Amino acid sequence: MKRQSDKSKAGTKTSSISRILIVLAVVFFVAGVILLMIEPIKRHNRKKIAGEALDAITNKIESADGGEITFTVPATGNEVPGEERELIPQEAPIEEADLIELGAIGIISIPKIDIRYTVWDEVTEVSLRYGLCHYEESVIPGETGNATILGHNYKDGSMFHYLGELEAGDEVCFTGVDGTKMTFYVTDSLIISADDLMSYAEGDITDSKQLTLVTCTYEYGRTGWRRVVICKLAE
């Protein structure tokens, strides 16, 4: 009888351990699924807000009302993995607020790689999530000098992911908030060290009307590099 009792206790203990292990396995599985879903959800939110911003900016430009054009976005919640690795030194601090009002300088479209995005008037972690960004120490596109536009390289193919496919002669179109439309043509595409970026980004590096597009690049397994596409305004 004692042996049977010991066996019964051992069996109960084993059963209890098995149940605990099953519960833990389920908890870890659910937690893993949730973690895997976080970035796709954030990516969906970023795309949705960027699309809504583009539609709103387009409508305001077409209405020809003139003046400043802004769009309000969430300050947190849709962070981009690795965004703390700055594309360029950021002058403007991120505000301590739930919502941030971004100002637009226009819209860029590139037919060859089928993209069209709002261009915000400053480079911050938040503005880079929802469009392309104008480096404030460069000129506005169309002015004499170098206008620098930066954007993320999203692996889902959005933003400036396909920037490296542009070749000499390809069109880059810019529409200002006043409705002025201009066409630039690619003259050069190169990969540079992030340490050398400022010599390509500043506004006074040329006397021509130049547009410089910049994104991160991971070609050949390298990190700390930038893809730079240089364009000239069609006269």
Side-chain angles (χ1 to χ4, degrees):
M1 292 292 292
K2 185 178 179 180
R3 286 183 180 177
Q4 289 180 345
S5 177
D6 290 343
K7 286 181 179 180
S8 178
K9 289 179 180 179
T12 301
K13 184 177 180 180
T14 300
S15 178
S16 297
I17 292 173
S18 296
R19 284 196 293 271
I20 291 171
L21 291 174
I22 290 172
V23 170
L24 287 174
V26 170
V27 169
F28 285 128
F29 175 78
V30 172
V33 170
I34 292 173
L35 288 173
L36 288 173
M37 288 301 297
I38 288 176
E39 177 50 30
I41 290 172
K42 288 183 177 181
R43 188 185 309 126
H44 170 77
N45 290 339
R46 290 193 297 266
K47 278 188 173 182
K48 182 174 181 291
I49 294 170
E52 291 171 349
L54 179 61
D55 290 342
I57 302 305
T58 300
N59 290 336
K60 289 178 181 178
I61 290 174
E62 290 177 350
S63 69
D65 290 337
E68 185 180 9
I69 297 180
T70 63
F71 190 82
T72 302
V73 301
T76 60
N78 298 316
E79 293 79 5
V80 178
E83 67 180 15
E84 66 279 358
R85 297 191 293 273
E86 299 175 337
L87 268 170
I88 207 163
Q90 296 177 9
E91 300 288 340
I94 295 177
E95 300 176 23
E96 295 291 335
D98 294 330
L99 297 172
I100 290 180
E101 190 174 68
L102 300 180
I105 68 164
I107 294 170
I108 271 188
S109 60
I110 307 178
K112 182 175 181 178
I113 56 177
D114 192 27
I115 66 169
R116 188 169 181 269
Y117 291 110
T118 302
V119 180
W120 305 115
D121 61 6
E122 62 180 359
V123 183
T124 68
E125 289 181 358
V126 175
S127 59
L128 282 165
R129 294 170 195 162
Y130 306 113
L132 308 175
C133 299
H134 172 248
Y135 177 45
E136 294 172 274
E137 299 302 317
S138 69
V139 304
I140 298 296
E143 295 179 350
T144 299
N146 178 54
T148 298
I149 306 296
L150 302 99
H152 277 306
N153 175 356
Y154 288 150
K155 293 181 179 179
D156 65 356
S158 59
M159 296 300 173
F160 272 166
H161 180 75
Y162 292 111
L163 199 62
E165 294 188 4
L166 296 182
E167 300 173 309
D170 288 335
E171 291 185 357
V172 177
C173 304
F174 180 81
T175 302
V177 291
D178 63 354
T180 300
K181 298 181 180 181
M182 57 197 81
T183 302
F184 294 81
Y185 289 94
V186 174
T187 60
D188 203 1
S189 179
L190 58 157
I191 296 175
I192 64 169
S193 167
D195 296 333
D196 298 330
L197 179 57
M198 299 313 298
S199 58
Y200 289 85
E202 297 288 351
D204 59 359
I205 61 173
T206 180
D207 292 328
S208 64
K209 295 179 180 180
Q210 179 171 296
L211 177 66
T212 300
L213 311 178
V214 180
T215 192
C216 294
T217 183
Y218 309 102
E219 296 176 60
Y220 317 116
R222 297 181 294 186
T223 58
W225 297 81
R226 301 290 182 262
R227 166 67 67 176
V228 173
V229 174
I230 299 171
C231 315
K232 300 292 184 180
L233 181 65
E235 297 296 345

